[in-house]
Amino acid sequence: MEFQRNDAMLMEILQDRKTIVGFLDSIFGFLRRNTDFYHTKKDEADKIGFPKGMRDQILYGAMQRYDPDCALQAMNAESEMPAPPAVQEIIVESSDAPKSEAATLLKSAFSPIDYKNGAAFAGHCWSQTLKDLEVQVLLPEELKTSKNLNIEIRAQSLRVSSKQNAGHVLLEGNLSQRIKHNEALWTIDHNMLHISCDKSKELWWDRLFEADAEIDTKKIDCERYIDELPDDTQATIEKLRVQQLEADKRQSQLQAANPEQAKTMDRLRVAWDAEGSPFKGQPFDPSIVRMS
């Protein structure tokens, strides 16, 4: 699985840095040097970076997704279910979890990242990127293995039901747009059915099924993978990366040549983004600050 390969790479970093703090320092340093993660959009025309405050939302959502004390995460580990073969079947076994709160938490079983750019309902949710679509379906206790489920994925419809009881339908509807159903994948993880597929056309959907209410497409986060961005945008990000590397190099040279001035710059860097600073959210540029 992909997470195992990622874990192996990240474990090397953790073993090298020794501590969680050192590990996180490496991760965020990488983001600063190699991506537009720390670039704050100045206006709607700015094609790179994030709107002010979006970084914090992304980080909080990621932490909440894996927090064992979070009710949403606990619910994700509580339901149990399976499905039948589409193109590929992967079943991840999970240990039993207490079910006392399952009914009351049903409607909040999905975290915001699960329905990013989509919507959540009582028993399922969907999310999307410009190219891809993902649907998650809560599986009931009596349908915990794929041999108990019928999963029908067609170019413009989805249906998930019980093999034993054809009237027990978990998900059914005509899709608002077409998908590449022959390339669809589905998995069962923590008693949740995940259906992943490519859209036939690169466009933002305003609903999953034709009968659903529309989502507010103006609120869609249009973030894309760096290698999917237009060439000119990738070039801009690469330019920022090179500038950051040059700035880091100058900083290192400054620290070696003048330790006292380096300390002053460090204090200025901390104050730059402090609450109440007129420069908060802007790229660090000490040349615009007059120091006596």
PDB file of all heavy atoms in Angstrom, residues 1 4 41 99 101 139 226 238 289:
ATOM      1  N   MET A   1       0.841  -1.199   0.000  1.00  0.00           N
ATOM      2  CA  MET A   1       0.000   0.000   0.000  1.00  0.00           C
ATOM      3  C   MET A   1       0.878   1.252   0.000  1.00  0.00           C
ATOM      4  O   MET A   1       2.006   1.228   0.468  1.00  0.00           O
ATOM      5  CB  MET A   1      -0.896   0.007   1.235  1.00  0.00           C
ATOM      6  CG  MET A   1      -2.000  -1.023   1.186  1.00  0.00           C
ATOM      7  SD  MET A   1      -3.063  -0.828   2.614  1.00  0.00           S
ATOM      8  CE  MET A   1      -4.167  -2.187   2.324  1.00  0.00           C
ATOM      9  N   GLN A   4       2.561   2.473   3.280  1.00  0.00           N
ATOM     10  CA  GLN A   4       3.729   1.738   3.750  1.00  0.00           C
ATOM     11  C   GLN A   4       5.006   2.288   3.133  1.00  0.00           C
ATOM     12  O   GLN A   4       6.035   2.407   3.806  1.00  0.00           O
ATOM     13  CB  GLN A   4       3.569   0.251   3.425  1.00  0.00           C
ATOM     14  CG  GLN A   4       2.429  -0.414   4.207  1.00  0.00           C
ATOM     15  CD  GLN A   4       2.184  -1.840   3.774  1.00  0.00           C
ATOM     16  OE1 GLN A   4       2.391  -2.197   2.617  1.00  0.00           O
ATOM     17  NE2 GLN A   4       1.723  -2.675   4.695  1.00  0.00           N
ATOM     18  N   LYS A  41      -1.616  34.195  -0.765  1.00  0.00           N
ATOM     19  CA  LYS A  41      -2.179  34.855  -1.939  1.00  0.00           C
ATOM     20  C   LYS A  41      -2.502  36.313  -1.634  1.00  0.00           C
ATOM     21  O   LYS A  41      -3.112  36.628  -0.622  1.00  0.00           O
ATOM     22  CB  LYS A  41      -3.450  34.140  -2.388  1.00  0.00           C
ATOM     23  CG  LYS A  41      -3.196  32.812  -3.088  1.00  0.00           C
ATOM     24  CD  LYS A  41      -4.492  32.264  -3.674  1.00  0.00           C
ATOM     25  CE  LYS A  41      -4.215  31.019  -4.489  1.00  0.00           C
ATOM     26  NZ  LYS A  41      -5.428  30.504  -5.158  1.00  0.00           N
ATOM     27  N   LYS A  99     -19.187   0.563  20.204  1.00  0.00           N
ATOM     28  CA  LYS A  99     -20.216   1.017  19.274  1.00  0.00           C
ATOM     29  C   LYS A  99     -21.322   1.816  19.943  1.00  0.00           C
ATOM     30  O   LYS A  99     -22.345   2.076  19.337  1.00  0.00           O
ATOM     31  CB  LYS A  99     -20.809  -0.195  18.544  1.00  0.00           C
ATOM     32  CG  LYS A  99     -19.756  -0.998  17.802  1.00  0.00           C
ATOM     33  CD  LYS A  99     -20.359  -2.239  17.200  1.00  0.00           C
ATOM     34  CE  LYS A  99     -19.319  -3.037  16.441  1.00  0.00           C
ATOM     35  NZ  LYS A  99     -18.232  -3.545  17.240  1.00  0.00           N
ATOM     36  N   GLU A 101     -21.621   4.904  20.753  1.00  0.00           N
ATOM     37  CA  GLU A 101     -21.912   6.229  20.241  1.00  0.00           C
ATOM     38  C   GLU A 101     -22.165   6.214  18.734  1.00  0.00           C
ATOM     39  O   GLU A 101     -22.352   7.255  18.118  1.00  0.00           O
ATOM     40  CB  GLU A 101     -20.735   7.173  20.542  1.00  0.00           C
ATOM     41  CG  GLU A 101     -20.462   7.325  22.024  1.00  0.00           C
ATOM     42  CD  GLU A 101     -19.268   8.253  22.255  1.00  0.00           C
ATOM     43  OE1 GLU A 101     -18.741   8.785  21.272  1.00  0.00           O
ATOM     44  OE2 GLU A 101     -18.888   8.435  23.408  1.00  0.00           O
ATOM     45  N   LEU A 139     -20.533   1.444   6.143  1.00  0.00           N
ATOM     46  CA  LEU A 139     -21.044   0.084   6.006  1.00  0.00           C
ATOM     47  C   LEU A 139     -21.622  -0.407   7.327  1.00  0.00           C
ATOM     48  O   LEU A 139     -20.977  -0.332   8.359  1.00  0.00           O
ATOM     49  CB  LEU A 139     -19.914  -0.845   5.562  1.00  0.00           C
ATOM     50  CG  LEU A 139     -19.286  -0.493   4.221  1.00  0.00           C
ATOM     51  CD1 LEU A 139     -18.094  -1.380   3.945  1.00  0.00           C
ATOM     52  CD2 LEU A 139     -20.289  -0.587   3.097  1.00  0.00           C
ATOM     53  N   ILE A 226       1.336  20.078  -7.721  1.00  0.00           N
ATOM     54  CA  ILE A 226       2.275  20.967  -8.391  1.00  0.00           C
ATOM     55  C   ILE A 226       2.540  20.521  -9.829  1.00  0.00           C
ATOM     56  O   ILE A 226       2.585  21.333 -10.746  1.00  0.00           O
ATOM     57  CB  ILE A 226       3.591  21.049  -7.584  1.00  0.00           C
ATOM     58  CG1 ILE A 226       3.340  21.824  -6.275  1.00  0.00           C
ATOM     59  CG2 ILE A 226       4.688  21.735  -8.391  1.00  0.00           C
ATOM     60  CD1 ILE A 226       4.539  21.912  -5.367  1.00  0.00           C
ATOM     61  N   GLU A 238       9.110  27.305  -8.884  1.00  0.00           N
ATOM     62  CA  GLU A 238      10.536  26.968  -8.911  1.00  0.00           C
ATOM     63  C   GLU A 238      11.390  28.209  -8.643  1.00  0.00           C
ATOM     64  O   GLU A 238      12.408  28.142  -7.934  1.00  0.00           O
ATOM     65  CB  GLU A 238      10.900  26.360 -10.270  1.00  0.00           C
ATOM     66  CG  GLU A 238      12.369  26.038 -10.458  1.00  0.00           C
ATOM     67  CD  GLU A 238      12.891  24.998  -9.480  1.00  0.00           C
ATOM     68  OE1 GLU A 238      12.070  24.293  -8.851  1.00  0.00           O
ATOM     69  OE2 GLU A 238      14.131  24.896  -9.347  1.00  0.00           O
ATOM     70  N   VAL A 289      12.832  47.314   6.439  1.00  0.00           N
ATOM     71  CA  VAL A 289      12.790  47.744   7.841  1.00  0.00           C
ATOM     72  C   VAL A 289      14.031  48.568   8.135  1.00  0.00           C
ATOM     73  O   VAL A 289      15.154  48.123   7.873  1.00  0.00           O
ATOM     74  CB  VAL A 289      12.728  46.529   8.789  1.00  0.00           C
ATOM     75  CG1 VAL A 289      12.691  46.998  10.243  1.00  0.00           C
ATOM     76  CG2 VAL A 289      11.527  45.669   8.470  1.00  0.00           C
TER      77      VAL A 289
END
